[in-house]
């Protein structure tokens, strides 16, 4: 029996809905509730602690390097001080409770108990078997965490591993392309698929002057035009970054196989759309303006 070949962008198409499911946590009021109970109330501190806790009591430099597009001074305002409020183990436990509450609220208890969700979790976990630790710090840290027993938590865990595996590779591609953290965000926003400038400035610690300076550097390289749109060279650079990210992230999806990838994409899309329809994300999150 022959196995269908994996299409070049099949991994990306599979990753997208899984990343959407993972991202619901960072906009969830349940996360604010759980972290607030630990004494972590600043939204930025919540974000840094929630995503970095798997790495242990790391400092601002490590978080800035691993997250890539945050202003160091903002990170340093909260890290490592946040670990004196609640240690990484307490944060991870609070995160797990928030994930449980978030998925129950967005997807409903029937979906969580469905064979389709269990199937999605099994497929996603199988894909993670081919992920590699070297050069991927955020993935490697999360890969050391135990797999939860409940299917919806296992699916979230697997989605996190796949997201961070791809994300670590993406940072390597951005670095190779000569894009610093803010330049990467500016060019992504210019594609129309990234966060709006308002959201970037509100959450990443950058100021309008920083954005304008990054835009000026990109114009100097011929990547942005005077209106802030990608030039032909800019679009080609972004396309090259995405293609290299796909290449670096191919192993888990090749391991799963074309049929498994297609099925996981189908199931993940159903759950991601249900979460979005239930109000998981702000309406003004994505766009050029």
């Amino acid at each position: 029996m022959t196995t269908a070949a994996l299409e070049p962008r099949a991994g990306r198409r599979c990753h997208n809905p899984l990343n959407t499911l993972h991202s619901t946590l960072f906009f969830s009021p349940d996360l604010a509730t759980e972290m607030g109970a630990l004494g972590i109330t600043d939204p930025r501190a919540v974000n840094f602690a929630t995503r970095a806790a798997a790495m242990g009591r790391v400092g601002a430099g490590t978080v800035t390097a691993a997250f890539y597009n945050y202003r160091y001074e903002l990170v340093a305002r909260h890290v490592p001080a946040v670990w004196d409020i609640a240690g990484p183990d307490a944060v991870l436990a609070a995160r797990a409770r928030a994930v449980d509450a978030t998925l129950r609220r967005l997807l409903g208890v029937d979906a969580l108990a469905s064979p389709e969700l269990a199937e999605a979790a099994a497929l996603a976990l199988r894909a993670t078997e081919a992920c590699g630790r070297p050069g991927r710090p955020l993935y490697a840290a999360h890969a050391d965490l135990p797999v939860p027993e409940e299917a919806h938590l296992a699916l979230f865990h697997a989605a996190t591993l796949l997201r961070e595996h791809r994300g670590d590779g993406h940072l390597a591609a951005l670095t190779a392309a000569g894009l610093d953290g803010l330049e990467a965000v500016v060019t992504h926003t210019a594609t129309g698929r990234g966060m709006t400038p308002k959201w970037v400035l509100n959450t990443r610690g950058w100021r309008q002057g920083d954005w304008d300076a990054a835009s000026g550097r990109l114009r100097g390289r011929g990547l942005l035009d005077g209106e802030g749109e990608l030039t032909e060279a800019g679009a080609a650079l972004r396309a090259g970054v995405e293609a290299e990210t796909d290449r670096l992230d191919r192993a888990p999806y090749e391991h799963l196989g074309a049929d498994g990838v297609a099925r996981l994409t189908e199931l993940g899309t159903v759950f991601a759309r249900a979460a979005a329809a239930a109000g998981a994300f702000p309406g003004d999150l994505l766009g050029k303006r």
Side-chain angles (χ1 to χ4, degrees):
M1 184 179 71
T2 59
T3 302
L6 192 67
E7 296 179 10
R9 296 186 180 182
R12 187 193 308 185
R13 290 194 296 269
C14 189
H15 164 266
N16 287 341
L18 297 177
N19 183 51
T20 296
L21 275 179
H22 169 92
S23 300
T24 60
L25 176 66
F26 293 98
F27 299 91
S28 171
D30 305 302
L31 179 61
T33 297
E34 291 292 345
M35 295 293 279
L38 298 181
I40 304 174
T41 56
D42 186 288
R44 294 162 185 80
V46 168
N47 181 37
F48 297 143
T50 300
R51 193 169 172 219
M55 296 190 291
R57 296 178 66 94
V58 292
T62 300
V63 172
T64 303
F67 288 17
Y68 199 74
N69 56 28
Y70 287 77
R71 192 168 185 262
Y72 173 79
E73 288 77 8
L74 174 65
V75 179
R77 196 179 305 158
H78 301 286
V79 179
V82 69
W83 308 127
D84 294 330
I85 302 173
D89 287 345
V91 170
L92 289 171
R95 183 176 78 177
R97 294 190 296 271
V99 170
D100 179 58
T102 299
L103 294 182
R104 289 182 185 278
R105 176 172 50 81
L106 294 175
L107 301 181
V109 293
D110 290 342
L112 266 56
S114 68
E116 289 80 9
L117 192 139
E119 181 185 4
L123 289 168
L125 287 170
R126 190 186 309 162
T128 68
E129 294 171 355
C131 293
R133 286 182 173 82
R136 301 180 191 265
L138 268 175
Y139 162 75
H142 284 88
D144 285 344
L145 301 178
V147 179
E149 293 184 4
E150 293 184 79
H152 64 293
L153 300 182
L155 176 59
F156 184 88
H157 175 75
T160 301
L161 295 183
L162 293 170
R163 170 213 167 96
E164 301 298 8
H165 185 269
R166 183 177 180 85
D168 286 336
H170 186 59
L171 301 192
L174 290 170
T175 302
L179 294 174
D180 66 26
L182 185 52
E183 291 166 354
V185 175
V186 172
T187 55
H188 191 210
T189 294
T191 68
R193 295 186 293 273
M195 291 194 299
T196 63
K198 181 188 78 171
W199 272 94
V200 173
L201 298 179
N202 285 344
T203 62
R204 267 53 178 172
W206 302 104
R207 304 185 180 98
Q208 185 62 50
D210 300 316
W211 183 280
D212 294 341
S215 298
R217 294 194 297 273
L218 293 167
R219 285 195 299 273
R221 291 173 60 185
L223 303 176
L224 281 188
D225 65 20
E227 301 300 318
E229 300 289 337
L230 289 173
T231 62
E232 183 176 344
L237 183 72
R238 283 299 319 190
V241 166
E242 296 303 328
E244 178 64 2
T245 302
D246 290 343
R247 187 186 70 80
L248 293 172
D249 193 40
R250 193 167 176 82
Y253 303 99
E254 286 185 333
H255 178 69
L256 185 57
D259 291 343
V261 168
R263 179 59 173 160
L264 181 56
T265 304
E266 177 187 8
L267 293 169
T269 299
V270 170
F271 294 125
R273 286 178 176 172
F281 303 103
D284 61 349
L285 178 63
L286 303 178
K288 296 183 180 182
R289 302 288 184 266

